Amino acid sequence: KQEVTQIPAALSVPEGENLVLNCSFTDSAIYNLQWFRQDPGKGLTSLLLIQSSQREQTSGRLNASLDKSSGRSTLYIAASQPGDSATYLCAAHAITQGGSEKLVFGKGTKLTVNP
Amino acid sequence: EAQVTQNPRYLITVTGKKLTVTCSQNMNHEYMSWYRQDPGLGLRQIYYSMNVEVTDKGDVPEGYKVSRKEKRNFPLILESPSPNQTSLYFCASRTANNEQFFGPGTRLTVL
């Protein structure tokens, strides 16, 4: 059974710092891995999608990497800003034992960027 | 604008009173799904649909029904809501390369 873990659960940094959020998954049989951002009481916004054949994706100040063999993904945020404060979720698009597929979410890392 | 919409955004109801949360997407996606999000438990899938008239259970389907009569709509039905269904609900649709897009959420309170 696929499980996704995100560490740390919460992170507080001063503005301008570069930071890394971690995501690990137990089963390397994934289609892809997707990072989301969620603001309090709001929906999920897709940030980056990494296909299983890729090693990284970049969008602006964000860079996500994927290492299937070790079951890890990281989200790198450069030059953090207070507006980056949110909960960041990673989700593995997993292949189930029955041959179907589903998105398995981590519980998220709550990021606070202090001015 | 490409989006997933849900209605209502907020709903307070009483135990046993049937309700429907609508979900619609304008991206012609075949795959749609419903999740609930609870503190400490994260996001869990309720039901999903691979295409019109094709639905299947997710991880927590008990107490819920869905239908997929047309591609753009995927309503979530609670025939007899109970307090343990108080939660934040999200509808999502997925592109051909498996990127998921989520609706804004429906906060449901069952008294």
Side-chain angles (χ1 to χ4, degrees), chain A residues 1 31-32 34 36 38 40-49 51 87 89 93 96 100-108, chain B residues 9-10 31 35 37 40-45 48 50 56 58-59 88 90 94-95 97-105 107:
Chain A
K1 179 186 173 187
Y31 286 116
N32 59 44
Q34 194 168 357
F36 296 89
Q38 185 176 26
K42 299 289 178 71
L44 280 70
T45 300
S46 177
L47 296 174
L48 289 164
L49 172 72
Q51 300 292 349
T87 295
L89 297 158
H93 188 184
T96 69
S100 62
E101 47 184 288
K102 69 176 187 179
L103 208 58
V104 181
F105 282 86
K107 292 191 169 68
Chain B
R9 296 289 315 281
Y10 303 91
Y31 184 101
Y35 295 84
Q37 186 177 36
L41 296 176
L43 278 145
R44 294 176 293 169
Q45 191 181 55
Y48 65 94
M50 300 289 286
D56 209 345
D59 295 318
L88 181 58
F90 290 103
R94 193 177 81 188
T95 68
N97 71 339
N98 298 321
E99 185 173 9
Q100 298 251 358
F101 292 91
F102 282 75
R107 186 167 294 280

Side-chain angles (χ1 to χ4, degrees), chain A residues 44-46, chain B residues 1-6 24-29 72 93-95 99-104:
Chain A
L44 280 70
T45 300
S46 177
Chain B
E1 180 191 354
Q3 59 183 346
V4 179
T5 58
Q6 296 178 226
S24 183
Q25 51 94 5
N26 61 2
M27 297 170 278
N28 202 37
H29 292 164
R72 64 181 292 122
S93 69
R94 193 177 81 188
T95 68
E99 185 173 9
Q100 298 251 358
F101 292 91
F102 282 75

Side-chain angles (χ1 to χ4, degrees), chain A residues 4 8 13-14 16 21 24 29 33 46-47 49 52 62 66 80 82-83 85 89-90 107 112 115:
Chain A
V4 177
V13 300
L21 305 181
S24 62
L33 190 130
S46 177
L47 296 174
L49 172 72
S52 62
L62 306 180
L66 175 64
S80 58
S85 298
L89 297 158
C90 74
K107 292 191 169 68
T112 302

Side-chain angles (χ1 to χ4, degrees), chain A residues 60-77:
Chain A
R61 293 182 294 109
L62 306 180
N63 176 278
S65 69
L66 175 64
D67 184 343
K68 278 182 58 178
S69 61
S70 66
R72 295 186 182 190
S73 176
T74 62
L75 179 66
Y76 174 82
I77 303 177

